[in-house]
């Protein structure tokens, strides 16, 4: 009898975590490494949120709480959805978890049966296909190339839907491409979904606040209220308030789904950290100026990185609408050989050679299901980004035809 389960053998470790780990190991050996592989804001959690976490400890909020979140936080989340998204939810339609990732995990494990299909536009966040596979479902990957702005088209969506389709996962702005759907683009997708009542929408809105150039963020249930009773709207405080380590995410959806997710959470992790819940409450109800500050900083860095990468021979970098990633193409470098002698056969070879020869860690596109690209996380200081771009440019200039 095999010791490891079939379920665990269906999934692989997160490639973004692996790349960040490889960069950290090289750094520990004394190499001069610039890691642009991790997906988290480089800012500190705002002071008033940190203070709320400390106060939670001092006030004795250190015990188990209701499994899927304290009432005050659920109320604050309802207010957030009403204030920012024009969505009316009641507290029994809200679930709070240890990160947005656990919301996705709970929702998919609670609903997906073997053979159920989940549509995932590529490039995708690395965890979606693996969580679907763990649940026994079938990820249906739909390529969304740069020519389509890395966005799912209504035609491609319609073609991907079958009688076994249970969910469509949407992520706008996207990790890894930064692409976001405007109201018309979102409406075109929700129009298709109206024709298929068995398909639910799982929308990952975690980068909601990181949109640039005046872009207006929209979410499916807001654009098409008739989809609200089959939509799970996921969000969290990790990226919006630089709180990745606090582990608080939340979801809003129909009561039956929310109850099933709470049941799963009650038999796995129980409540998310009580201290973090009070900090998240302060984040959602307190001053919101961090959001504008970080948006401005990330827009400036996006421009710096897009301009810099488009200056590198062989690279072409579209301008993303949001998040803190760019997803340039290396199509023109495929078939070359780097100055260090590595054949650039695909984006994984490019990423490994770039790390070995220049010390810059990025994540290759195959990890996100769309090649030949790589993801740069520009959640780093302007000086670090300038140095990284100089090294990437030197690397590209050194690539010669094979
Ligand atoms: C697209 C996307 N969704 C969800 C998450 C998970 O966020 P958390 O679990 O920290 O809330 C991430 C984190 O990298 C992400 O990039």
């Amino acid at each position: 009898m095999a010791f490891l389960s079939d379920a665990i053998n269906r999934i692989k470790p997160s490639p973004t975590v692996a790349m960040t780990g490889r960069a950290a190991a090289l750094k520990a050996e004394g190499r001069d490494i610039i890691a642009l592989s991790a997906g988290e804001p480089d800012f500190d959690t705002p002071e008033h949120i940190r203070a709320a976490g400390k106060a939670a400890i001092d006030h004795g909020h250190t015990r188990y709480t209701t499994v899927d979140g304290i009432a005050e936080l659920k109320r604050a989340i309802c207010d957030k959805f009403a204030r920012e998204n024009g969505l009316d939810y009641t507290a029994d339609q809200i679930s709070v978890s240890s990160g947005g990732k656990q919301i996705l995990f709970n929702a998919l494990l609670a609903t997906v049966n073997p053979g159920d299909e989940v549509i995932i536009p590529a490039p995708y966040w690395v965890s979606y296909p693996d969580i679907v596979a763990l649940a026994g479902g079938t990820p249906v990957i739909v390529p969304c190339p740069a020519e389509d702005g890395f966005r799912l088209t209504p035609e491609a969506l319609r073609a991907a839907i079958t009688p076994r389709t249970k969910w469509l996962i949407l992520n706008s702005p996207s990790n890894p491409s930064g692409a976001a759907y405007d109201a018309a683009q979102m409406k075109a997708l929700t129009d298709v979904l109206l024709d298929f009542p068995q398909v639910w929408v799982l929308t990952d809105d975690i980068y909601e606040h990181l949109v640039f150039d005046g872009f207006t963020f929209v979410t499916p249930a807001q654009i098409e209220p008739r989809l609200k009773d089959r939509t799970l709207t996921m969000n969290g405080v990790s990226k919006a308030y630089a709180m990745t380590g606090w582990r608080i995410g939340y979801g809003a959806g129909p009561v039956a789904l929310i109850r099933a997710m709470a049941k799963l959470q009650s038999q796995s992790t129980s409540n998310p950290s009580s201290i973090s819940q009070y900090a998240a409450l302060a984040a959602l109800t307190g001053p919101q100026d961090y959001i504008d500050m970080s948006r401005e900083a990330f827009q400036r860095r996006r421009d710096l990185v897009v301009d810099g990468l488009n200056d590198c021979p062989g690279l072409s970098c579209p301008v993303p609408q949001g998040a803190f990633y760019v997803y340039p193409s290396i199509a023109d470098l495929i078939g070359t050989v780097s100055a260090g002698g590595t054949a650039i056969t695909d984006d994984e070879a490019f990423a490994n050679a770039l790390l070995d020869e220049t010390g810059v860690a990025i994540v290759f596109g195959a990890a996100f299901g769309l090649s030949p690209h790589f993801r740069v996380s520009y959640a780093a200081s302007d000086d670090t980004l300038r140095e990284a771009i100089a090294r990437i440019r030197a690397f590209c200039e050194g690539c010669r035809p094979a």
Side-chain angles (χ1 to χ4, degrees):
M1 187 202 288
F3 177 60
L4 295 179
S5 68
D6 293 345
I8 201 71
N9 284 330
R10 283 197 293 272
I11 65 173
K12 54 189 181 330
S14 160
T16 46
V17 173
M19 199 64 184
T20 306
R22 218 183 133 215
L26 289 173
K27 203 168 195 163
E29 284 170 16
R31 290 273 313 272
D32 173 18
I33 299 295
I34 303 179
L36 303 180
S37 47
E40 61 180 342
D42 54 319
F43 299 110
D44 290 332
T45 304
E47 211 283 322
H48 70 282
I49 301 175
R50 300 201 303 266
K54 292 176 203 161
I57 298 175
D58 292 339
H59 295 155
H61 294 307
T62 50
R63 298 172 188 274
Y64 294 133
T65 72
T66 323
V67 164
D68 64 349
I70 55 174
E72 302 94 300
L73 180 54
K74 288 190 176 187
R75 260 199 307 278
I77 292 167
C78 292
D79 291 346
K80 175 256 177 284
F81 279 121
R83 179 178 75 233
E84 296 181 344
N85 310 109
L87 287 171
D88 269 337
Y89 286 109
T90 47
D92 57 351
Q93 295 175 305
I94 303 293
S95 185
V96 185
S97 279
S98 302
K101 192 179 225 170
Q102 195 184 12
I103 292 287
L104 298 166
F105 187 92
N106 287 348
L108 292 166
L109 268 283
T111 57
V112 171
N113 283 315
D116 286 352
E117 295 174 357
V118 178
I119 296 175
I120 303 173
Y124 47 71
W125 182 46
V126 292
S127 293
Y128 302 143
D130 286 272
I131 298 176
V132 171
L134 186 71
T138 305
V140 174
I141 308 300
V142 181
C144 303
E147 304 85 86
D148 293 336
F150 300 118
R151 278 182 289 265
L152 180 64
T153 63
E155 298 76 26
L157 171 59
R158 191 176 286 280
I161 295 175
T162 77
R164 300 306 305 262
T165 307
K166 183 155 255 171
W167 288 98
L168 162 67
I169 300 183
L170 282 178
N171 174 215
S172 168
S174 151
N175 175 3
S177 71
Y181 295 82
D182 66 22
Q185 289 155 345
M186 187 64 84
K187 177 83 171 56
L189 295 180
T190 58
D191 281 351
V192 173
L193 293 170
L194 287 178
D195 291 341
F196 300 95
Q198 88 279 15
V199 181
W200 284 59
V201 188
L202 209 173
T203 177
D204 178 343
D205 296 353
I206 200 113
Y207 295 100
E208 163 180 18
H209 291 297
L210 292 174
V211 285
F212 312 130
D213 308 321
F215 186 92
T216 302
F217 169 85
V218 292
T219 190
Q222 164 197 28
I223 290 293
E224 181 44 84
R226 284 174 288 177
L227 287 182
K228 188 164 170 242
D229 62 0
R230 49 183 168 114
T231 298
L232 180 68
T233 304
M234 186 224 106
N235 211 319
V237 296
S238 286
K239 320 283 175 170
Y241 303 98
M243 293 178 70
T244 46
W246 296 80
R247 309 307 305 130
I248 296 291
Y250 52 87
V255 173
L257 171 62
I258 295 297
R259 281 208 192 114
M261 290 164 60
K263 182 159 95 174
L264 178 56
Q265 194 159 299
S266 76
Q267 294 294 17
S268 52
T269 57
S270 296
N271 62 276
S273 154
S274 55
I275 299 152
S276 297
Q277 289 188 67
Y278 282 93
L281 178 62
L284 291 173
T285 56
Q288 300 293 306
D289 39 329
Y290 169 83
I291 289 179
D292 286 339
M293 183 286 287
S294 72
R295 181 193 292 120
E296 278 161 30
F298 283 128
Q299 179 167 327
R300 188 184 66 244
R301 293 165 177 186
R302 176 203 61 172
D303 293 343
L304 190 162
V305 169
V306 169
D307 290 350
L309 292 176
N310 277 325
D311 240 17
C312 299
L315 299 187
S316 126
C317 185
V319 183
Q321 291 79 41
F324 40 70
Y325 310 103
V326 291
Y327 201 58
S329 166
I330 61 154
D332 293 343
L333 291 178
I334 300 287
T336 63
V337 174
S338 71
T342 299
I344 308 298
T345 48
D346 56 22
D347 49 32
E348 186 165 2
F350 173 87
N352 287 329
L354 186 70
L355 180 57
D356 291 341
E357 295 178 31
T358 73
V360 176
I362 46 82
V363 185
F364 55 93
F368 308 99
L370 194 83
S371 294
H373 289 267
F374 64 99
R375 185 192 78 172
V376 175
S377 166
Y378 53 82
S381 72
D382 296 24
D383 285 346
T384 303
L385 294 171
R386 276 192 205 97
E387 170 64 19
I389 286 164
R391 293 188 196 184
I392 295 172
R393 184 180 307 119
F395 179 86
C396 293
E397 283 167 356
C399 288
R400 296 277 168 261

